[in-house]
Amino acid sequence: MSTTTAKRPKHHHDAAEHHHSPLLPGLPDDVAQLCLSLVPPSTLYSVCRSWRRLIYAPSFPPFLSLYALLSPTHNHHHHLSINPVHFFNFDPISCNWHPLPPPPPPLRLQFRHPSFISRNLPIQSVAVSGNLVLLAATADPFLPALPQPLVFETLSQKWIQGPPLPAPRRWCAAGASRGVVYVASGISSYYENDVARSVEKWDLVAHQQRRLRQRQPPLGWEKLAKLKDVKFSREAIDAVGWKGKLCMVNVKGDAAKEGIIYDVDRDSWGEMPEGMLAGWRGPAAAMEEETIYAVDESRGRLKKYDHVNDTWVVVVENELLKGAQQVVAVAGKVCALCADGVSIAVVDVAALAPARLWMVEVPTGYEAVGIHILPRLSHSNV
């Protein structure tokens, strides 16, 4: 296996290059854009300034990029440290990090607490249809921090507020499937059995469509079939969307655990297959909701679930994957947030063996508390 660190070589351009030069001489720009959309963005970036501007234009098909929730480290005094969580976008073409606008109102999230020396308090978010959705977190003194989800739309580059949660919560199960956001279990302002067994969904895509029409009222949360018990309120859990189902386990890592599967069409719960549960030994994610990848965090193995044989197949093994905190998977790439919180391992699972792994480092003075893969941001200052 090859391991590299992402770097972008500097390119020197002719200072006389005209700002309004045609994309392809002899062709109208709209026709040229159709032709150039078939070329990899990394190639276009390296050729000339007009093509570089093109790949960041709102009208050009967006490439995927990495988004991260970052928290300042203990020894770093950032001028925005009144807000302990910041949102950044990593451009894989230029290899630069860019801050996102802060969500309104300023967040007061509690990520660390003296009572929890060996662990951080979870901040739960999901990626849904090109949107970053912040769902659950803790505020002082150990209360749910978010009465309603906060959504960052990559297309408009703006934050919007979702409908109020019937019961704001923390340490819940959070996931998405087919453009719909799901939350289950968790703890509200205090422990309640009803909340610990509750399941709710919010159709974000339909909500956005109604908002565009303006005259239709936005969609709220819809109650679903309850969990059979309260065993899923102990930790922050990823509900992994896979083949029209949500898969989740109630404990992280190698510990003994229970697994359940929710069928989104039938609104019903079922047991997780034995082989799936036995091999679920760390963070997991599903690529395009078709293939589940998981990291065995104690062994540093990235594995793929074979649903036909109910078994897991090792894709790659690497020391850098040990202790992985989170996994996301999109378009042939699996990204794992490493144990140190300052490195993100990227594995090209679509490439021929041996798999290529490279590292992305978060900005100096920060540690990542969550990562996602979403469309890149549009901008003109390139």
Side-chain angles (χ1 to χ4, degrees):
M1 161 188 273
S2 59
T3 303
T4 59
T5 301
K7 292 183 178 179
R8 164 60 57 178
K10 294 182 179 180
H11 299 278
H12 301 280
H13 300 273
D14 186 353
E17 184 179 25
H18 196 273
H19 183 77
H20 297 292
S21 59
L23 294 173
L24 289 174
L27 288 178
D29 277 356
D30 57 343
V31 177
Q33 180 170 316
L34 289 174
C35 298
L36 293 174
S37 66
L38 304 176
V39 181
S42 56
T43 301
L44 298 177
Y45 183 95
S46 304
V47 175
C48 63
R49 189 169 299 166
S50 61
W51 290 6
R52 182 181 295 192
R53 287 195 300 268
L54 174 66
I55 66 173
Y56 295 102
S59 59
F60 197 75
F63 54 86
L64 294 173
S65 61
L66 191 65
Y67 288 71
L69 287 69
L70 304 180
S71 177
T73 51
H74 295 291
N75 58 355
H76 182 72
H77 299 286
H78 195 272
H79 71 286
L80 293 177
S81 60
I82 56 169
N83 184 351
V85 177
H86 309 280
F87 301 84
F88 278 76
N89 164 243
F90 177 76
D91 182 340
I93 306 297
S94 67
C95 292
N96 291 322
W97 286 95
H98 303 282
L100 304 186
L107 298 177
R108 297 292 188 269
L109 307 183
Q110 198 166 41
F111 180 55
R112 303 181 186 89
H113 193 276
S115 300
F116 295 85
I117 299 176
S118 62
R119 63 184 297 181
N120 295 322
L121 300 175
I123 300 172
Q124 295 179 259
S125 56
V126 296
V128 186
S129 301
N131 304 280
L132 171 61
V133 184
L134 193 61
L135 278 172
T138 301
D140 189 47
F142 293 108
L143 297 173
L146 299 170
Q148 58 201 131
L150 294 174
V151 181
F152 181 76
E153 300 178 323
T154 57
L155 185 61
S156 68
Q157 301 186 35
K158 294 180 180 179
W159 289 90
I160 65 169
Q161 293 182 331
L165 282 154
R169 61 194 75 195
R170 56 194 180 94
W171 291 357
C172 60
S177 177
R178 301 173 181 173
V180 179
V181 181
Y182 293 83
V183 294
S185 194
I187 300 173
S188 57
S189 299
Y190 53 91
Y191 177 81
E192 293 181 80
N193 187 278
D194 284 345
V195 172
R197 293 186 57 212
S198 68
V199 184
E200 322 218 15
K201 74 174 183 179
W202 173 45
D203 192 330
L204 173 57
V205 173
H207 177 93
Q208 290 176 315
Q209 292 171 346
R210 284 172 170 244
R211 190 163 58 89
L212 289 174
R213 298 188 188 106
Q214 295 182 343
R215 295 183 179 181
Q216 289 184 306
L219 289 176
W221 290 90
E222 179 183 341
K223 290 185 179 295
L224 303 173
K226 288 188 175 184
L227 293 161
K228 66 178 182 180
D229 53 45
V230 299
K231 295 180 180 178
F232 288 80
S233 61
R234 300 171 181 172
E235 295 211 43
I237 297 168
D238 292 325
V240 178
W242 173 69
K243 296 182 180 295
K245 298 176 175 61
L246 290 171
C247 309
M248 58 190 190
V249 296
N250 67 333
V251 179
K252 296 181 178 180
D254 275 335
K257 57 179 66 70
E258 294 186 19
I260 54 175
I261 293 181
Y262 174 75
D263 188 315
V264 301
D265 292 323
R266 298 180 179 179
D267 187 23
S268 62
W269 293 92
E271 298 298 321
M272 181 176 285
E274 183 178 342
M276 177 188 279
L277 178 60
W280 199 304
R281 297 181 175 274
M287 188 172 296
E288 279 75 53
E289 299 195 29
E290 286 296 322
T291 305
I292 298 180
Y293 290 87
V295 170
D296 185 330
E297 58 187 75
S298 64
R299 297 173 178 83
R301 294 175 180 171
L302 175 64
K303 303 184 295 183
K304 177 173 66 173
Y305 180 62
D306 176 357
H307 71 280
V308 175
N309 298 305
D310 191 26
T311 187
W312 293 84
V313 179
V314 176
V315 176
V316 70
E317 184 170 353
N318 193 293
E319 290 287 321
L320 297 170
L321 297 175
K322 287 186 175 181
Q325 303 180 49
Q326 184 192 354
V327 169
V328 293
V330 177
K333 305 291 191 300
V334 175
C335 298
L337 176 56
C338 297
D340 60 10
V342 299
S343 304
I344 299 165
V346 184
V347 182
D348 187 350
V349 296
L352 296 175
R356 188 167 74 96
L357 183 149
W358 65 96
M359 305 299 292
V360 174
E361 305 297 323
V362 306
T364 303
Y366 290 94
E367 63 179 304
V369 300
I371 58 173
H372 297 288
I373 300 175
L374 292 163
R376 61 96 177 102
L377 299 177
S378 299
H379 55 89
S380 57
N381 56 337
V382 291

